[in-house]
Amino acid sequence: MSTEPARPAPQPLPTNPSVSVVIPVLDEERHLEDAVRMVLGQDWSGPLEVVLALGPSRDRTDEVAERLAASDERVRLVRNPTGRTPDGLNAAVAAATGDVVVRVDGHAEIPRGYVSTAVAALAETGADNVGGTMDARGRTAFERAVAAAMRSPLGVGSSRFHTGGGAGEVDTVYLGCFRRTALERVGGYDPRFTRTQDWELNHRIRESGGTVWFTPDLVVTYRPRSGFRGLARQYRDYGRWRRVVAGLHGGTLTARYLAAPTMVVGTTAATLVGLAWWPALAVPAGYALAVGAGGVAITAGEPARTRLLAGPVLATMHWAWGWGFLTSRPRRLLGGR
C-alpha cells in the first residue's frame, strides 16, 4: 500500500488572478530600481502588486524603495529587521494580497512575459509552484567563467533550473511562482534556513502531496559573484546548509550531493599519502587536470582569459561546497548548541 501523501486537488485559479511579486531587499541600491521596473512593466493584464521587504541596508536602498513606492501605488514596503532572506520573504508574503505569489530577487532581470507565462503554467499543470531557468550571465572574464560553470553539470550537477531541459516535475526550481494556498498549507519559508530555503520549502510542498514544476519557458538572468572570495563563501554556505537539509529531511541526500565532499576527502588523503609514497599524488594531479580540461571544454568560444579561469572556478565551487558540507554544524546553524 502506498505511503505517498494524497495529492491535494488544485483549486482552479480565477480568471486573471491577482498577483503579488515579493522581493527581499538588502543593499540593492544599484539594481533595485531596474528590478522593480521590470516587474511593473510586465504584460500581465490582471491585478499586480510588488511587495518589497526592506532589510537594514547600508547603502541608499531604502531611499530608492521609498521613491518607487511614492511613484506607483502598486509598490508596497514592509520591514525586515533581521535582513535574513526567509524572514523577508515571509514578511512580504504575509503582507501580499494576491492569489499567486511570485518570488523575485532585488537584482533579478525578468523578461516582460515572465508573470503571464508563470501564471499560465500554474493553471495548465495544476502545480503548486512553477519556475524556470537560472540563466547565469557574466560581464567580466571571471563572471563569464562562473556563469559557464553554473550552466554546466561539471559545476552544479544536473538540476534542470541550472542546466536546462524539458518541462516536468522536479525537486526544486529557481525563485518560483506559487499558489498562495500552497504557501499557507506548508507554513511558508522556514525562518531557520539562511540558505537553501527554496529547496527546503519545495521539499515540504512535495511532502504535502503538491507538485513543483519546471518549465524552460521561464528564464531569469542571474549575475554571478565577481571574485574568488565571494564565490567560495557562496558555495561553502550552500554545502553547509545542504547538510542541514539532509539531517532535517531524511532520505534527501543523493550521490550527487556527496560527490564534492568525497572529492575533498579523497584528494586530501591522497596528497598526504603522496608525501611518503609519490604515486598517490596521481589523484590530486588527475583532479587538477580534469577540472582544467573541463573548464576549457565548457567555455568553448569564450576569450582565452575566461577559458583559463574556468578550471580554477570549477575547483573553487567543488572544494568550497565539499568543505562546507564536511564542516557543517547543523544544530548550531539551526539555532541549537
Side-chain angles (χ1 to χ4, degrees):
M1 185 173 180
S2 175
T3 58
E4 295 266 338
R7 179 166 292 185
Q11 297 297 313
L13 289 173
T15 302
N16 282 342
S18 56
V19 173
S20 297
V21 178
V22 297
I23 308 179
V25 179
L26 183 69
D27 295 327
E28 291 287 2
E29 176 187 353
R30 290 179 54 202
H31 305 289
L32 182 60
E33 183 162 2
D34 287 342
V36 172
R37 295 296 181 198
M38 288 179 186
V39 175
L40 296 176
Q42 292 291 297
D43 63 5
W44 178 244
S45 59
L48 176 75
E49 67 176 359
V50 184
V51 184
L52 305 180
L54 302 178
S57 294
R58 293 167 294 182
D59 59 13
R60 299 176 60 198
T61 295
D62 285 11
E63 293 179 36
V64 175
E66 288 163 5
R67 185 171 67 249
L68 290 167
S71 65
D72 195 311
E73 63 182 8
R74 293 175 294 173
V75 179
R76 300 168 54 207
L77 310 180
V78 296
R79 292 291 166 183
N80 174 26
T82 69
R84 299 175 67 252
T85 299
D87 294 334
L89 287 167
N90 284 335
V93 171
T97 61
D99 303 305
V100 172
V101 177
V102 178
R103 177 183 172 179
V104 173
D105 282 341
H107 51 271
E109 299 177 20
I110 62 173
R112 189 167 183 268
Y114 185 83
V115 168
S116 57
T117 300
V119 174
L122 276 181
E124 291 166 6
T125 64
D128 287 303
N129 181 21
V130 301
T133 303
M134 178 183 182
D135 187 27
R137 297 289 168 185
R139 296 186 176 96
T140 67
F142 180 86
E143 291 170 356
R144 293 172 72 88
V146 175
M150 294 184 74
R151 296 193 301 266
S152 168
L154 289 178
V156 295
S158 57
S159 294
R160 263 183 273 185
F161 75 85
H162 278 301
T163 60
E169 293 189 32
V170 290
D171 290 344
T172 192
V173 290
Y174 181 50
L175 300 178
C177 172
F178 302 84
R179 293 174 185 266
R180 185 184 185 88
T181 52
L183 291 174
E184 292 172 345
R185 185 176 75 241
V186 300
Y189 292 87
D190 189 326
R192 297 175 296 175
F193 280 79
T194 302
R195 297 285 185 272
T196 66
Q197 64 275 150
D198 294 314
W199 198 101
E200 197 277 337
L201 171 65
N202 285 315
H203 177 76
R204 284 186 285 116
I205 288 174
R206 292 184 292 106
E207 285 287 288
S208 73
T211 301
V212 179
W213 189 268
F214 171 84
T215 172
D217 296 331
L218 288 174
V219 179
V220 181
T221 299
Y222 171 85
R223 298 300 179 186
R225 298 296 193 274
S226 59
F228 280 108
R229 179 176 295 182
L231 181 67
R233 186 181 302 114
Q234 178 185 19
Y235 276 81
R236 178 203 63 192
D237 288 346
Y238 286 164
R240 283 179 174 174
W241 282 96
R242 191 61 189 78
R243 184 169 172 182
V244 175
V245 172
L248 195 64
H249 300 294
T252 64
L253 193 61
T254 62
R256 73 183 180 93
Y257 291 120
L258 293 173
T262 299
M263 179 277 300
V264 169
V265 171
T267 54
T268 300
T271 301
L272 293 174
V273 171
L275 297 177
W277 186 62
W278 69 264
L281 296 176
V283 174
Y287 172 77
L289 288 172
V291 295
V296 170
I298 66 175
T299 51
E302 292 282 356
R305 179 169 171 76
T306 297
R307 304 192 78 182
L308 290 172
L309 283 167
V313 161
L314 284 170
T316 298
M317 293 164 69
H318 296 165
W319 274 84
W321 203 102
W323 180 253
F325 185 92
L326 291 168
T327 59
S328 177
R329 299 177 63 182
R331 289 186 62 187
R332 182 174 180 179
L333 289 171
L334 289 173
R337 294 184 178 180

